[in-house]
Amino acid sequence: VVPLRLRGSVSRSIAFERDGDRRVSRGSEMCTFMPLRGGVNDDPRHIIDLTGDGTVTLQTNQEQAVDAATLEGVLNHPGSQTRTDVLFGGAEPFEWLDLRLTCTTGSGLSRMTVESPAVTSGLVRPQFGRGGPAVAAKGTLAYLTLRPAEQADGPRRYEVGVIGHGPGGGALADQVAAEIRTWDQTYRSRDVRFEIRPLSVDPIEPGPGRFVISWS
């Protein structure tokens, strides 16, 4: 049983069993854990201040190619929101959607942290009160947001959307929204399996719903 940060900010605790030269998952749970620091195999994190006063920050990891300088002032660009029509119940977790997005977006998901003044002023509308997942690419930022779904009755549900800022904010928001719809239509009800293969053998090829992450 090992905790693994898979890509960007998405981490899971996974139970593996040996199957020949592979390790195959028998179950997994969403988790957070303290990464190794300051030594062999350390896993440094970087905090990017998006507002200059620390009210909105973005946490990135060492494998993510995010240039902090290009994100300076990104929230000064008007936000472009894209709807998805993908609904979640009030207590339904987002963990499997986050896993899909971190595998399909260019640099993986990052964690955006927000202080209340940035929300009350209308600067950002994050998925949760203190922030949520975001994608950064080439001076552009897109993050997930929620709004109550239009419904006549029944348990309250929420529609997930994407807000983009920066020169390509609208395009990045559309890209992330398209991945959310694909997950909802094709993969939402499917099981997830993880494998670890040694670097000495040829990796399996990526394909629809199958992703390969290399460690060296």
Side-chain angles (χ1 to χ4, degrees):
V1 178
V2 293
L4 288 178
R5 186 177 61 76
L6 298 168
R7 193 164 183 257
S9 64
V10 173
S11 302
R12 300 193 69 83
S13 178
I14 307 175
F16 288 99
E17 286 185 354
R18 185 190 296 272
D19 183 0
D21 60 358
R22 304 175 301 156
R23 271 71 170 174
V24 180
S25 66
R26 299 306 181 205
S28 74
E29 298 287 344
M30 183 173 61
C31 76
T32 58
F33 56 93
M34 179 62 70
L36 295 171
R37 304 283 185 87
V40 177
N41 293 325
D42 59 334
D43 187 18
R45 296 175 290 183
H46 307 282
I47 304 298
I48 301 173
D49 187 349
L50 298 178
T51 53
D53 59 3
T55 55
V56 183
T57 60
L58 189 71
Q59 176 185 297
T60 64
N61 295 87
Q62 57 182 332
E63 79 282 358
Q64 293 178 282
V66 177
D67 186 349
T70 65
L71 292 175
E72 183 176 349
V74 67
L75 294 177
N76 294 330
H77 292 258
S80 175
Q81 182 168 354
T82 302
R83 296 186 57 176
T84 66
D85 296 318
V86 175
L87 304 182
F88 282 80
E92 189 176 358
F94 290 83
E95 57 182 300
W96 301 115
L97 173 59
D98 290 351
L99 179 62
R100 169 78 186 186
L101 290 180
T102 208
C103 289
T104 56
T105 53
S107 60
L109 285 188
S110 297
R111 184 178 302 280
M112 187 175 75
T113 301
V114 177
E115 300 294 334
S116 57
V119 178
T120 56
S121 68
L123 180 64
V124 290
R125 289 175 286 157
Q127 184 179 19
F128 306 112
R130 294 300 304 273
V135 178
K138 297 181 180 179
T140 301
L141 181 76
Y143 63 89
L144 270 60
T145 187
L146 284 178
R147 71 174 195 170
E150 299 175 0
Q151 59 187 85
D153 52 21
R156 171 60 70 186
R157 296 196 295 172
Y158 298 86
E159 180 187 355
V160 61
V162 188
I163 298 178
H165 291 266
L172 184 58
D174 288 346
Q175 175 190 341
V176 176
E179 290 295 347
I180 293 172
R181 296 187 198 99
T182 297
W183 170 81
D184 178 60
Q185 296 165 8
T186 307
Y187 300 103
R188 188 167 190 164
S189 61
R190 297 176 64 175
D191 292 332
V192 173
R193 187 179 71 172
F194 303 90
E195 289 188 14
I196 296 178
R197 296 185 175 216
L199 295 175
S200 58
V201 303
D202 292 335
I204 59 175
E205 292 296 322
R210 183 171 61 202
F211 305 94
V212 178
I213 301 173
S214 298
W215 286 290
S216 58

